[in-house]
Amino acid sequence: MEKYNSINEVFNIRLQQQIDGVLPQRFVYELGMPSEALLYAGVENLPIEMSASTLTKKSDNDYISNHPFELSEIKNLPLAIQCPIAVFDSEERNGKKVVLTEIVQNGNNFIAILDIIKLRGRNANVINSIISLYAKESNGRIAKWFDSEFAKLTPKGGTALLQWADTKKASNWLTNHVSDVRAVGMSSRRIANIINSFADCQFFEENSLQGEDEHTTENKANSLLLAKAKLKAKMARLKLMEIVSVDGVGTKKTIP
């Protein structure tokens, strides 16, 4: 976490400069390499960046999507993205990632949308670019992301939108939005089970970011593979829990 703390401090200084109107034109915020949680969720192992112009546009009251916010509200954004509540695939299945953060505006959590962008120029690099940032007003929609198969956002047997969840943070989010979950016909118990299925896939960055030599990188890759294997087995067990025997015949049962 030490690595992200320093990045976070620089971000906050630069953010205040943008608020004060003294940030250099065309400035680009650097949010560091993806954390293990983001890598597990399928974010590419590329630098995460965000242009100051994106912040200006997305926060503006006149922006067409109308999700205005004060720049001061996104203080500590690097930590919020690197250590998120959860990470989802985009509903459009276009390769973009949706990061649910702990930053809140009027009870609604900010989401950051990441996309892979190739920069222009002679020394063009490929990066994870934050292309959108705003407080998601529909908590019911987020609930459907957590259980996309039940919400019919994912074909039966298809890949779920939820790619990773911090079990503690996501459980807290669920507790705070039970009424929103029920209002859209979703089951808080089902979502809780899905969140808890990631219990074997929790990462502790302070123990794994003390150096990025070849040995560390190999260990990180192995830990991700192991965590994914554990999750696959856990999800298979959850599927079996939905089958009950009735007179020797397997019958599908929806968890209430």
Side-chain angles (χ1 to χ4, degrees):
M1 191 66 77
E2 210 172 296
K3 178 178 180 180
Y4 295 130
N5 282 337
S6 60
I7 291 172
N8 196 67
E9 289 175 9
V10 172
F11 175 88
N12 288 340
I13 292 170
R14 292 299 194 180
L15 180 65
Q16 188 59 52
Q17 291 177 343
Q18 184 168 356
I19 293 170
D20 295 338
V22 296
L23 190 70
Q25 287 188 340
R26 299 184 180 179
F27 183 80
V28 175
Y29 290 94
E30 297 179 353
L31 283 73
M33 297 297 289
S35 63
E36 287 190 341
L38 295 181
L39 291 173
Y40 181 90
V43 173
E44 294 292 334
N45 192 23
L46 298 167
I48 300 174
E49 298 183 1
M50 177 179 60
S51 67
S53 61
T54 295
L55 269 186
T56 300
K57 180 173 67 174
K58 298 297 181 181
S59 63
D60 196 284
N61 282 309
D62 295 327
Y63 182 58
I64 189 170
S65 294
N66 195 28
H67 295 291
F69 58 89
E70 298 293 332
L71 293 181
S72 58
E73 293 182 270
I74 61 162
K75 184 179 179 181
N76 300 321
L77 181 65
L79 286 180
I81 288 178
Q82 298 286 6
C83 307
I85 296 173
V87 185
F88 308 88
D89 283 343
S90 168
E91 284 189 51
E92 286 74 28
R93 302 291 182 177
N94 51 15
K96 297 175 184 177
K97 298 292 181 181
V98 181
V99 182
L100 180 64
T101 77
E102 291 186 284
I103 299 176
V104 176
Q105 178 196 67
N106 299 325
N108 301 314
N109 293 75
F110 273 76
I111 63 171
I113 300 177
L114 273 64
D115 195 11
I116 296 176
I117 301 292
K118 184 174 182 179
L119 301 177
R120 297 176 181 177
R122 293 177 60 185
N123 298 315
N125 294 320
V126 180
I127 62 165
N128 288 302
S129 178
I130 299 175
I131 61 171
S132 190
L133 178 71
Y134 60 92
K136 182 69 175 177
E137 295 178 357
S138 176
N139 290 308
R141 196 65 180 180
I142 294 175
K144 290 183 178 182
W145 293 347
F146 273 104
D147 192 1
S148 57
E149 184 174 338
F150 185 83
K152 295 182 169 56
L153 299 180
T154 298
K156 191 172 182 179
T159 303
L161 293 181
L162 178 63
Q163 294 300 301
W164 183 84
D166 181 302
T167 53
K168 183 177 180 180
K169 293 178 181 179
S171 295
N172 288 339
W173 180 91
L174 181 60
T175 298
N176 293 332
H177 296 96
V178 170
S179 59
D180 297 308
V181 171
R182 292 174 178 169
V184 293
M186 300 296 289
S187 165
S188 57
R189 183 178 174 186
R190 275 183 60 97
I191 293 175
N193 285 338
I194 291 170
I195 290 170
N196 289 330
S197 71
F198 287 87
D200 291 334
C201 312
Q202 302 302 291
F203 304 104
F204 303 92
E205 299 297 337
E206 63 270 22
N207 294 329
S208 60
L209 294 172
Q210 301 304 315
E212 291 294 329
D213 57 21
E214 184 177 345
H215 181 67
T216 301
T217 302
E218 181 179 355
N219 287 342
K220 181 183 287 188
N222 290 337
S223 69
L224 289 172
L225 289 172
L226 178 60
K228 286 190 174 185
K230 288 181 178 179
L231 177 60
K232 186 175 181 180
K234 184 70 174 287
M235 294 303 290
R237 291 197 298 272
L238 283 177
K239 288 289 184 183
L240 289 175
M241 288 170 60
E242 296 182 1
I243 305 295
V244 294
S245 179
V246 180
D247 295 328
V249 179
T251 304
K252 187 77 173 178
K253 177 183 179 183
T254 301
I255 298 175

